[in-house]
Amino acid sequence: MSKLRFFAAPYLVWMVVFIAVPLLMVVYFAFTTADGEFTLQNVGDAGQYANIFVRSIWLAIIATVICLIIAYPLAFMLSRMKKHHQGTMLMIVMLPMWMNFLLRTRAWMTILGNTGIINTMLEFIGLEPVKLINTEGAVVLGMVYNYLPYMILPLYSVMVKIDKSVLEAASDLGCNYMNTLFRVIVPLSLPGITSGITMVFVPAISTFIISRMLGGGSNLLIGDLIEMQFLGNSYNPHLGAAISLVLMVIILLIMTIMNQFSPDDQVLI
């Protein structure tokens, strides 16, 4: 047992240095002033940005739901393919993730811009150009595009374990397609659903690159606000830490609620 503990030491050091220490620093800055005195003012000031919190949560929920709607049938079709086809399709799904996140998002600026590909095509066929960039819809689109693989992969990993004989048995017992879907497939794939929702929602609610590039600064999200407190003109790391702490609490509450709908052996937090 002592040898096993020795091998675990690097992971414990990593957790302390890169997880525990940063979290303690966030808590310290959130509840102190520039002079190091204890205060609750920073947390109170974070409340004035409630509208930004609501917008961030709302857009993250929309993006997560869209990802689930798109990813669920795709993951099921992937899981029913032949083994050698599954590997090829999974590589196609993961291929965009091999590119730089910033580059992928900038590509959508070219597509959605006022003189971008879509508006150029609309003008070519005689239609009026449409404002696509710098909108909430563009931000949601960027979230869906960048985080969709994180929904597909956990769903696929669960669905591929569903034996075909289970679906055949449901059909033999009189279940039609819809009954098989909602009474057999969905319950069995619930761990993948909860994991996928977590993996998409958490980065979506805290994103700032997507909202800055596709939202044009007019659709400020909580990630943008935090970045402004640490790197922007309104430099205030204590307020930024307080906002970050509030965001962490919100995410933990949402994940706790999600745990209530997941199987007993599926733990999200």
Side-chain angles (χ1 to χ4, degrees):
M1 289 297 294
S2 59
K3 292 183 178 180
L4 293 178
R5 292 177 182 176
F6 174 78
F7 286 113
Y11 300 98
L12 294 175
V13 173
W14 178 277
M15 291 176 60
V16 170
V17 174
F18 294 104
I19 298 178
V21 172
L23 284 176
L24 290 175
M25 291 178 64
V26 169
V27 174
Y28 172 78
F29 275 92
F31 292 104
T32 56
T33 64
D35 299 327
E37 298 178 357
F38 176 80
T39 182
L40 294 175
Q41 184 66 35
N42 297 322
V43 178
D45 290 342
Q48 64 183 311
Y49 302 107
N51 60 325
I52 298 179
F53 277 98
V54 172
R55 184 190 301 129
S56 301
I57 295 172
W58 175 241
L59 294 183
I61 290 174
I62 293 175
T64 304
V65 171
I66 294 175
C67 283
L68 179 59
I69 294 173
I70 296 174
Y72 201 88
L74 285 176
F76 182 75
M77 287 188 291
L78 277 173
S79 67
R80 300 300 102 182
M81 289 181 177
K82 296 180 179 179
K83 292 295 182 181
H84 60 281
H85 290 160
Q86 289 181 16
T88 302
M89 295 305 297
L90 281 175
M91 185 187 70
I92 294 175
V93 169
M94 297 176 64
L95 191 61
M97 300 172 64
W98 298 354
M99 297 169 54
N100 182 271
F101 185 90
L102 187 64
L103 184 62
R104 287 181 314 202
T105 307
R106 182 169 290 277
W108 277 105
M109 296 178 65
T110 304
I111 297 173
L112 302 176
N114 296 329
T115 58
I117 296 174
I118 295 178
N119 278 323
T120 300
M121 293 177 63
L122 291 176
E123 291 181 350
F124 180 76
I125 61 178
L127 298 178
E128 290 292 327
V130 181
K131 182 176 177 55
L132 300 173
I133 198 71
N134 300 338
T135 62
E136 289 187 351
V139 175
V140 172
L141 177 61
M143 292 179 181
V144 172
Y145 172 75
N146 282 292
Y147 302 132
L148 182 60
Y150 297 106
M151 182 70 76
I152 295 177
L153 294 178
L155 285 172
Y156 163 79
S157 66
V158 171
M159 289 181 175
V160 76
K161 298 176 183 177
I162 300 177
D163 199 297
K164 293 182 180 179
S165 60
V166 175
L167 305 182
E168 293 172 356
S171 178
D172 292 340
L173 292 173
C175 285
N176 56 28
Y177 179 79
M178 296 303 294
N179 285 334
T180 302
L181 174 63
F182 289 105
R183 301 183 66 177
V184 179
I185 300 175
V186 170
L188 291 176
S189 61
L190 192 58
I193 294 174
T194 52
S195 295
I197 290 175
T198 304
M199 294 177 67
V200 172
F201 180 80
V202 172
I205 194 177
S206 58
T207 186
F208 65 93
I209 290 295
I210 296 175
S211 54
R212 181 196 299 173
M213 298 180 68
L214 300 181
S218 58
N219 294 279
L220 193 67
L221 299 185
I222 196 65
D224 303 294
L225 183 62
I226 294 172
E227 189 211 14
M228 288 169 56
Q229 305 306 318
F230 286 98
L231 300 176
N233 295 329
S234 56
Y235 180 77
N236 189 345
H238 297 275
L239 177 58
I243 297 172
S244 302
L245 188 62
V246 172
L247 178 61
M248 283 191 289
V249 171
I250 292 174
I251 292 175
L252 286 174
L253 288 175
I254 294 174
M255 293 302 100
T256 301
I257 295 172
M258 284 296 304
N259 277 338
Q260 305 306 312
F261 298 95
S262 62
D264 294 336
D265 59 347
Q266 180 72 12
V267 179
L268 300 180
I269 59 173

